């Protein structure tokens, strides 16, 4: 039992380390260019949504995109409505990694690891960040497979199985657990992938795995909240929008989680894919629901968080 718990802990550390290395490498590859791209491409709310989705899908860090958006709005380089569009798009873009990693990517992961090591060890430092990103991606995939394998024997323990089953049956508890874990590790992607491993191994009910993934979208808002501390009101409204969008979305989905789970399961070939599909559908539906009302939503946020009165 101790051996299995240690293997699980090591796989989890490697998994989180790979995710951090991948994000750090890709962010440094785009360093200096991402802010300029976001500022130029987000001229309208619709273009901002597309830009936010694409940039987050490439970087796999909605936190980074949101933090940069907060900075641009705070500096007056981006208007609030366009900044809001970037946040809406980032929520969709962050679902790409869970969709990719439930596939069999050994044919891509190993070449990515080899190419990443070559670029990381090259004399020129120009391509090292890209190399680190590729190494991180490969480590992330390999560690996820190891995590799923390590969890199976551990889940055979009666106390562990009962705890997981209880959490999986109580969808509100599962959503809160996903929120807390996402805030702790600062990654909704990591939390969603863990939920996929648990549901894929039949250690928790599918409904509980989806609830964890939905809750993770709220926990990841902590990044934007921290980035907005001490910034002008417009930037703080971006953080508020991020929190409201995800929190209200989860509140709306939890009462219909059972039929939503059934619908997603019909379109999925495995529980792990169902969790990934549910996460993508949730973020896409929330974004599409707000998209036609981006400017009215921006006015609502301005009303909720008005500019401070000057003496």
């Amino acid at each position: 039992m101790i051996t299995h718990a240690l293997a699980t802990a090591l796989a989890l550390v490697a998994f989180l380390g790979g995710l951090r290395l991948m994000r750090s490498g890709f962010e440094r590859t785009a360093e200096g260019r991402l802010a300029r791209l976001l500022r130029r491409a987000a001229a309208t709310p619709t273009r901002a949504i597309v830009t936010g989705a694409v940039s987050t899908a490439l970087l796999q860090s909605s936190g980074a995109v949101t933090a940069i958006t907060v900075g641009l709005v705070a500096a007056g380089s981006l208007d609030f409505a366009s900044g809001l569009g970037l946040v809406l798009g980032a929520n969709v873009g962050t679902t790409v990694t869970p969709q990719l990693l439930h596939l069999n990517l050994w044919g891509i992961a190993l070449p990515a690891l080899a190419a990443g090591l070559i670029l990381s060890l090259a004399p020129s430092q120009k391509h090292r960040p890209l190399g680190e990103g590729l190494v991180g991606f490969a480590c992330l995939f390999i560690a996820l497979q190891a995590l799923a394998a390590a969890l199976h024997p551990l889940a055979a323990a009666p106390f562990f199985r009962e705890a997981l089953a209880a959490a999986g049956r109580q969808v509100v508890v599962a959503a809160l657990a996903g929120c807390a874990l996402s805030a702790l590790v600062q990654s909704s992607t990591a939390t969603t992938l863990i939920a996929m491993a648990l549901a894929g191994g039949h250690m928790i009910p599918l409904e509980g795995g989806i609830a964890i993934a939905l809750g993770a979208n709220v926990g990841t808002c902590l990044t934007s909240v921290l980035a907005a501390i001490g910034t002008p009101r417009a930037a703080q409204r971006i953080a508020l929008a991020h929190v409201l969008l995800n929190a209200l979305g989860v509140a709306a989905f939890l009462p219909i989680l059972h039929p939503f789970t059934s619908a997603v399961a019909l379109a999925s070939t495995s529980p792990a894919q169902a969790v990934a599909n549910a996460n993508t559908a949730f973020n896409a539906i929330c974004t599409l629901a707000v998209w036609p009302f981006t400017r009215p939503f921006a006015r609502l946020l301005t009303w909720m968080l008005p500019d401070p009165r000057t003496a």
Side-chain angles (χ1 to χ4, degrees), residues 49 84 88 245 284-297:
I49 290 174
L84 178 58
L88 294 175
L245 176 70
I285 290 171
C286 289
T287 295
L288 289 174
V290 177
W291 172 42
F293 312 102
T294 302
R295 294 196 182 278
F297 186 42

Side-chain angles (χ1 to χ4, degrees), residues 37-283:
L37 171 65
L38 295 180
R39 186 172 62 249
R40 292 173 182 173
T44 66
T46 299
R47 287 176 59 182
I49 290 174
V50 175
T51 302
V54 173
S55 58
T56 303
L58 293 175
L59 291 180
Q60 270 312 291
S61 178
S62 61
V65 173
T66 303
I68 291 173
T69 301
V70 169
L72 290 174
V73 173
S77 301
L78 194 68
D79 70 90
F80 174 57
S82 294
L84 178 58
L86 286 173
V87 172
L88 294 175
N91 273 6
V92 177
T94 196
T95 65
V96 170
T97 292
Q99 287 288 358
L100 285 177
L101 291 183
H102 88 269
L103 303 174
N104 185 357
L105 295 180
W106 285 110
I108 298 176
L110 295 181
L113 178 61
L117 288 173
I118 292 172
L119 291 174
S120 299
L121 299 174
S124 173
Q125 296 187 5
K126 182 178 179 181
H127 301 296
R128 284 186 184 178
L130 177 59
E132 291 176 7
L134 291 173
V135 170
F137 170 77
C139 290
L140 178 63
F141 177 75
I142 294 169
L144 182 63
Q145 310 307 311
L147 179 63
L151 279 170
H152 273 288
L154 187 63
F159 77 92
F160 194 76
R161 185 172 60 249
E162 290 170 8
L164 287 176
R169 286 192 298 268
Q170 301 293 327
V171 293
V172 174
V173 175
L176 290 174
C179 177
L181 181 58
S182 179
L184 182 64
V185 301
Q186 277 301 283
S187 174
S188 61
T189 299
T191 306
T192 300
L193 290 172
I194 291 172
M196 288 168 60
L198 292 172
H202 303 287
M203 288 171 268
I204 60 174
L206 176 58
E207 198 166 299
I210 291 176
I212 291 174
L214 296 189
N217 288 282
V218 180
T220 195
C221 294
L222 181 61
T223 301
S224 57
V225 172
L226 292 176
I229 293 175
T231 61
R233 272 287 195 266
Q236 292 176 3
R237 291 182 196 119
I238 292 292
L240 177 61
H242 199 201
V243 174
L244 281 180
L245 176 70
N246 289 297
L248 293 177
V250 171
F253 269 76
L254 284 182
I256 60 168
L257 191 61
H258 184 69
F260 178 61
T261 300
S262 300
V264 170
L266 289 175
S268 308
T269 57
S270 68
Q273 185 186 17
V275 173
N277 289 346
N279 186 48
T280 301
F282 166 78
N283 283 286

